[in-house]
Amino acid sequence: MTTTLRLDRSTGLDRLAIIVSGLCVVHCIASAVLVAMLSAVGGMLVDPIFHEIGLTVAIALGVIGLGRGALQHGYMLPLGVGSLGLGMMAGAMTLPHNAGLMEHGEALWTIIGVGVLAFGHDLNRRADA
């Protein structure tokens, strides 16, 4: 029974992390569209502090969810894949921020990193099952 509760908590954390990853993709796409259409309103969403807070939350969820999963089920692949995604997201923050999805690659690399991170959380969730 105790093992089941631990697995449920870890799986729930991975589901939360996948949802947050999806929200990040929506944010990146919405920011690009909003900035292109309404630069005054979109300027709020592209503020660097917004992205720094988002990356901090993603790292915290990754450490807790993927780290706990690796300790419980012993598989390192989800942790490795999730870490790669977090690294891509962090690396994307070093690129020039621009409204265009492809102009400097920041939004594109963030979206790819978010997808890789979500895949890592999905692998972690499946390993717990």
Side-chain angles (χ1 to χ4, degrees), residues 16-93:
L16 174 64
I18 291 169
I19 290 168
V20 170
S21 295
L23 291 174
C24 181
V25 170
V26 170
H27 161 72
C28 288
I29 293 170
S31 292
V33 170
L34 280 176
V35 171
M37 292 172 41
L38 306 166
S39 61
V41 174
M44 262 182 3
L45 293 175
V46 296
D47 188 356
I49 192 70
F50 191 84
H51 294 108
E52 291 164 7
I53 291 170
L55 181 61
T56 302
V57 169
I59 290 171
L61 286 173
V63 166
I64 294 168
L66 295 170
R68 184 184 313 183
L71 291 173
Q72 284 180 353
H73 53 63
Y75 296 118
M76 297 303 291
L77 182 63
L79 179 62
V81 171
S83 296
L84 175 64
L86 286 169
M88 294 170 84
M89 291 166 61
M93 287 184 64

